[in-house]
Amino acid sequence: RARHSGPPDGGWGWMIVAGCFLVTICTRAVTRCISIFFVEFQTYFGQDYARTAWIHSIVDCATMLCAPLGSLISNHVSCQVGIMLGGLLASTGLILSSFATSLEHLYLSLGVLTGVGFALCYSPAIAMVGKYFNKRKALAYGIAMSGSGIGTFILAPVVQLLIEQFSWRGALLILGGFVLNLCVCGALMRPISLKEDCKTAPEFLEQNYVPETEKQDLKQMSMCSPLIKLWPHECLCYCSWKEYDFLLMPGFMVLAVSILFMAYGCSPLFVYLVPYALSVGVSHHQAAFLMSILGVIDIIGNITFGWLTDRRCLKKHRYFCYLFAVGMDGLCCLFLPVLQSFPLLVPFSFTFGYFDGAYVTLIPVMTADVVGTSLLSSALGVVYFLHAIPYLVSPPVAGWLVDTTGSYTASFLLCGFSMIFSSALLCFARLAKKIKRTHLQPLTGNTALKQHIWTNGAIAYSVTAELDQRDVEVLAVDTNSYSNR
């Protein structure tokens, strides 16, 4: 295990980026391409929109719902083991799906089994990039997560071709073999130990975030156990004590609520873009090409937004870049119902794809800014876990609206308003924080919180109070005169 005082910002880190790039191809791009099977499943099994949409929903839901499990295995066993195990599970699910005889079979194999496999790979791979990069973190994430767009661009027409040549069963079987590449990606994930991830026992006891009762327990353990006496030069993991403290951070709570609405809004579009395009007279190949366009522009959004937000002028404004990107995707969804031809749907794919890549890149960056690098793996597990319920519910709800109203308008409007609300919530939270800081500044500008410690024999006394400069001088004189006695 490599040991570093800080993220190396290069070296083997670029291999980690390459591994994460391949992981996003094999997980998120494959998940998006499941929407190409939508019409095939609906025709073969003779079911309505809502029941067929559950397949894509369960894949996404299982991937995000089990993200904390992926983080747990990565933290306590090995990131390499977790990703390899996930690759085997995902491949098995796709292969078993090729023998499906009912939608319920697909719910279990393609939905649950493949989704859990993707969960064991996705969040640990993303967290590893954050551990290897600091100064160029957004750029590294942009390159790593562009695999989703590149994969969609390449796989969408390939999957359509495979369906035409080998039927949907043969296409799923081939995808099952392709996803086995996740095992290769796992082998690239060399563990790294950072100084901020672990503390030696003396350093750990000195930290303010350790309660006094826990300090006493550690001291007693150090006196009683001969094994712990050997720890002064070994790492004592802080995460085992305060691994999920970030859940109570106000900034993280606001981010979590906004992600719920964002996830609800973005998921149905990837399920219904192809069916919607077919319903307005677009050919099958053109509909698959729309997904390819969305994927390749997604790449540009990943990399350019990652590079731009690493620049000094925008690095402090990542928060607003993120909410702007989410808001723009919401506006795109609102305008989609009036775009009813292939020439009009192409600009939509460009715009939506670009801003989708932009905010996807910034999710782990913003999470790291809120909770820090040492807790990034656990925090990302929770962040992607929050995607689970919206991903599970939103496509069937959108399908129910299509079945009920006979059009896609209500579904797309609901998606658009949900994403706009997510962006507005973050904006109002930042404004409220700024207003609160402005009101508190006059109260704390003229006085300072000072701590004074003096001794009386062997007993130490500590008094903390707000004192002005005159009080400090009087206390200093009194202390000096007392010591002279």
Side-chain angles (χ1 to χ4, degrees):
R1 178 187 292 266
R3 292 178 182 269
H4 297 269
S5 59
D9 273 298
W12 190 258
W14 294 116
M15 294 303 295
I16 300 297
V17 170
C20 187
F21 175 84
L22 292 173
V23 167
T24 54
I25 289 178
C26 294
T27 55
R28 302 312 299 157
V30 170
T31 301
R32 287 182 178 182
C33 288
I34 290 175
S35 63
I36 298 175
F37 292 90
F38 186 93
V39 176
E40 300 294 328
F41 291 153
Q42 190 180 27
T43 303
Y44 185 87
F45 295 108
Q47 299 294 336
D48 57 16
Y49 278 87
R51 283 178 58 83
T52 310
W54 277 105
I55 300 171
H56 193 282
S57 296
I58 294 172
V59 176
D60 267 336
C61 177
T63 301
M64 301 308 174
L65 190 67
C66 297
L69 177 62
S71 299
L72 183 68
I73 294 176
S74 174
N75 290 338
H76 298 283
V77 182
S78 168
C79 182
Q80 295 171 317
V81 171
I83 294 177
M84 289 181 178
L85 178 61
L88 291 174
L89 288 176
S91 177
T92 302
L94 285 164
I95 293 171
L96 291 177
S97 299
S98 66
F99 300 99
T101 56
S102 65
L103 282 182
E104 288 74 16
H105 187 161
L106 288 174
Y107 293 162
L108 293 175
S109 57
L110 185 56
V112 176
L113 192 57
T114 301
V116 171
F118 287 165
L120 298 184
C121 303
Y122 191 57
S123 59
I126 293 174
M128 285 294 289
V129 175
K131 288 183 176 293
Y132 271 85
F133 286 88
N134 183 26
K135 295 180 181 178
R136 291 179 283 186
K137 182 180 292 184
L139 176 61
Y141 271 126
I143 296 172
M145 302 189 75
S146 66
S148 176
I150 292 176
T152 305
F153 174 70
I154 297 173
L155 288 179
V158 169
V159 168
Q160 182 64 45
L161 183 63
L162 290 175
I163 291 173
E164 293 174 1
Q165 295 294 322
F166 305 105
S167 80
W168 62 267
R169 296 185 185 275
L172 285 175
L173 189 64
I174 294 171
L175 280 179
F178 173 73
V179 165
L180 274 175
N181 285 293
L182 286 169
C183 296
V184 180
C185 302
L188 295 174
M189 299 295 168
R190 180 189 296 171
I192 183 173
S193 179
L194 300 177
K195 186 176 180 180
E196 64 181 276
D197 292 337
C198 10
K199 302 283 185 183
T200 62
E203 290 174 342
F204 185 77
L205 294 174
E206 290 173 3
Q207 300 301 315
N208 292 329
Y209 48 68
V210 182
E212 192 64 32
T213 55
E214 294 182 5
K215 291 182 182 180
Q216 296 298 329
D217 291 341
L218 275 178
K219 290 176 181 178
Q220 291 175 5
M221 290 170 64
S222 299
M223 290 185 291
C224 297
S225 173
L227 178 61
I228 298 180
K229 290 181 180 180
L230 301 177
W231 282 3
H233 301 290
E234 294 295 324
C235 286
L236 180 63
C237 188
Y238 159 59
C239 297
S240 63
W241 292 83
K242 295 290 182 182
E243 194 169 355
Y244 290 98
D245 267 5
F246 60 85
L247 292 173
L248 299 178
M249 293 180 181
F252 184 82
M253 294 173 70
V254 172
L255 178 64
V257 174
S258 71
I259 282 175
L260 289 173
F261 287 94
M262 180 273 294
Y264 182 92
C266 72
S267 181
L269 185 120
F270 291 101
V271 181
Y272 293 108
L273 178 60
V274 171
Y276 171 72
L278 295 175
S279 71
V280 296
V282 176
S283 69
H284 283 78
H285 285 284
Q286 287 177 328
F289 185 62
L290 288 174
M291 289 294 292
S292 295
I293 293 173
L294 192 150
V296 73
I297 300 302
D298 195 294
I299 306 163
I300 299 175
N302 285 143
I303 298 175
T304 57
F305 243 68
W307 182 83
L308 286 171
T309 52
D310 268 343
R311 300 304 95 194
R312 186 173 298 177
C313 57
L314 287 179
K315 198 165 188 176
K316 296 180 180 179
H317 304 290
R318 287 171 175 170
Y319 190 94
F320 293 103
C321 292
Y322 171 81
L323 64 89
F324 174 74
V326 174
M328 287 300 296
D329 264 2
L331 287 175
C332 289
C333 290
L334 294 182
F335 284 104
L336 183 56
V338 300
L339 309 177
Q340 299 187 0
S341 65
F342 181 72
L344 293 177
L345 288 172
V346 169
F348 166 82
S349 294
F350 271 88
T351 308
F352 186 90
Y354 181 81
F355 288 108
D356 178 75
Y359 76 74
V360 166
T361 296
L362 291 180
I363 287 176
V365 176
M366 288 186 60
T367 306
D369 289 343
V370 172
V371 305
T373 303
S374 61
L375 297 176
L376 180 59
S377 180
S378 299
L380 281 177
V382 174
V383 165
Y384 292 125
F385 171 83
L386 293 171
H387 286 67
I389 301 303
Y391 277 4
L392 178 67
V393 172
S394 57
V397 169
W400 176 79
L401 288 172
V402 173
D403 293 331
T404 303
T405 63
S407 72
Y408 291 85
T409 302
S411 300
F412 292 145
L413 289 179
L414 185 60
C415 294
F417 284 124
S418 180
M419 298 189 78
I420 290 173
F421 179 78
S422 172
S423 178
L425 179 65
L426 289 175
C427 184
F428 289 140
R430 178 53 63 94
L431 290 175
K433 185 177 179 180
K434 188 174 181 180
I435 292 171
K436 182 179 178 181
R437 187 182 303 168
T438 303
H439 283 296
L440 288 177
Q441 189 172 2
L443 299 176
T444 58
N446 299 325
T447 61
L449 188 65
K450 300 183 180 293
Q451 187 176 40
H452 300 275
I453 301 175
W454 69 94
T455 61
N456 181 10
I459 303 174
Y461 296 92
S462 174
V463 174
T464 303
E466 288 187 359
L467 301 173
D468 57 20
Q469 188 61 32
R470 183 179 302 174
D471 293 332
V472 172
E473 293 173 358
V474 171
L475 181 60
V477 171
D478 292 343
T479 305
N480 290 332
S481 61
Y482 180 81
S483 60
N484 290 332
R485 292 179 188 176

